[in-house]
Amino acid sequence: MDEIVTLNVGGHVYTSSLSTLTKDRESMLGAMFSGEMSSRKDNQGNYVIDRDGKLFRYVLNFLRSSKLLLPDDFKELDMLGEEAEFYQIKGMVDAVKLLQVERDAIPEKTNIVIYSPDTRSSSYGTHGLWYFLGPPDILSRIPQIASYKATETSAIKEDILLKELGQLGFALNCLMPAQYSNRPYNCWVFVR
């Protein structure tokens, strides 16, 4: 029968089998639980690892299944990569790097077009709706756009919007006057 081991990882207690923890003999956990590396226990007898306790569940599940299974809305891929590197689980390191490359892949050309009210027009002042055209998965990652409520009194902070677009690799390609519903607008075209 396989020995059961309890771990306290960053304040989160996990239970696993010794065979799971030593599945990758070249990993830090493999060394720790095969006696090649010293380890310490807390007052309850749990092995202590001073790392991110929430992310350890993905490390443990990878050891169990040899698959990196993450929720669709997972936002901590870079941190998980750090954990995989710390635990020296090569298969997991490779799987995280592949997901990072897919996440960061930039299509040949992606455009975002934004229509903003022309605030220089005295007849409309600072009011008017903003319009955003572009891939929904990208638009949803831009906080100024994702939190925008389409009302006549809503405002977008242009300096923050430009910074957020820049952080995603977009550059302003052109800015030109436009008309929409008989109102003057600025048409911003961003490309990456």
Side-chain angles (χ1 to χ4, degrees), residues 93-113:
V93 169
D94 293 344
V96 170
K97 283 183 181 176
L98 181 62
L99 288 176
Q100 288 171 322
V101 167
E102 288 175 10
R103 176 198 66 192
D104 298 338
I106 298 174
E108 276 188 40
K109 187 175 183 184
T110 303
N111 293 335
I112 292 180
V113 179

Side-chain angles (χ1 to χ4, degrees), residues 55 58 67-74 77 80 92 96 99:
L55 291 178
Y58 302 109
K67 296 178 187 173
L68 184 58
L69 303 172
L70 302 172
D72 291 337
D73 61 346
F74 189 74
L77 194 57
L80 185 60
M92 186 174 182
V96 170
L99 288 176

Side-chain angles (χ1 to χ4, degrees), residues 38-159:
S38 64
S39 55
R40 60 180 189 179
K41 292 184 176 184
D42 64 14
N43 295 340
Q44 286 77 38
N46 304 313
Y47 287 93
V48 175
I49 302 174
D50 187 19
R51 295 301 290 185
D52 190 311
K54 288 183 180 179
L55 291 178
F56 187 72
R57 71 183 276 210
Y58 302 109
V59 173
L60 198 53
N61 285 334
F62 184 85
L63 289 173
R64 290 174 177 146
S65 67
S66 298
K67 296 178 187 173
L68 184 58
L69 303 172
L70 302 172
D72 291 337
D73 61 346
F74 189 74
K75 305 273 190 237
E76 299 178 288
L77 194 57
D78 294 329
M79 290 174 60
L80 185 60
E82 291 294 319
E83 295 302 297
E85 291 280 352
F86 173 80
Y87 291 110
Q88 301 169 9
I89 303 170
K90 183 169 179 359
M92 186 174 182
V93 169
D94 293 344
V96 170
K97 283 183 181 176
L98 181 62
L99 288 176
Q100 288 171 322
V101 167
E102 288 175 10
R103 176 198 66 192
D104 298 338
I106 298 174
E108 276 188 40
K109 187 175 183 184
T110 303
N111 293 335
I112 292 180
V113 179
I114 299 174
Y115 289 93
S116 65
D118 186 346
T119 57
R120 296 171 294 165
S121 170
S122 59
S123 60
Y124 297 109
T126 59
H127 300 295
L129 297 177
W130 287 64
Y131 298 93
F132 308 99
L133 306 170
D137 62 316
I138 293 176
L139 293 177
S140 67
R141 291 172 36 203
I142 303 168
Q144 281 285 303
I145 295 174
S147 64
Y148 178 73
K149 305 287 187 243
T151 65
E152 288 284 326
T153 58
S154 291
I156 292 281
K157 294 183 173 28
E158 290 178 14
D159 57 331

Side-chain angles (χ1 to χ4, degrees), residues 7-57:
L7 302 103
N8 176 344
V9 184
H12 295 258
V13 176
Y14 290 91
T15 302
S16 187
S17 66
L18 186 59
S19 62
T20 296
L21 295 171
T22 57
K23 185 175 183 179
D24 183 344
R25 297 274 181 193
E26 295 180 18
S27 72
M28 187 277 292
L29 291 170
M32 183 177 173
F33 290 102
S34 65
E36 296 173 29
M37 186 178 171
S38 64
S39 55
R40 60 180 189 179
K41 292 184 176 184
D42 64 14
N43 295 340
Q44 286 77 38
N46 304 313
Y47 287 93
V48 175
I49 302 174
D50 187 19
R51 295 301 290 185
D52 190 311
K54 288 183 180 179
L55 291 178
F56 187 72
R57 71 183 276 210

Side-chain angles (χ1 to χ4, degrees), residues 162-192:
L162 291 172
K163 180 180 175 184
E164 291 171 352
L165 285 163
Q167 290 171 341
L168 290 176
F170 285 91
L172 181 62
N173 188 316
C174 69
L175 173 61
M176 58 191 164
Q179 288 282 326
Y180 187 79
S181 297
N182 294 323
R183 288 188 176 189
Y185 273 79
N186 295 312
C187 177
W188 309 65
V189 179
F190 294 89
V191 177
R192 74 169 185 185

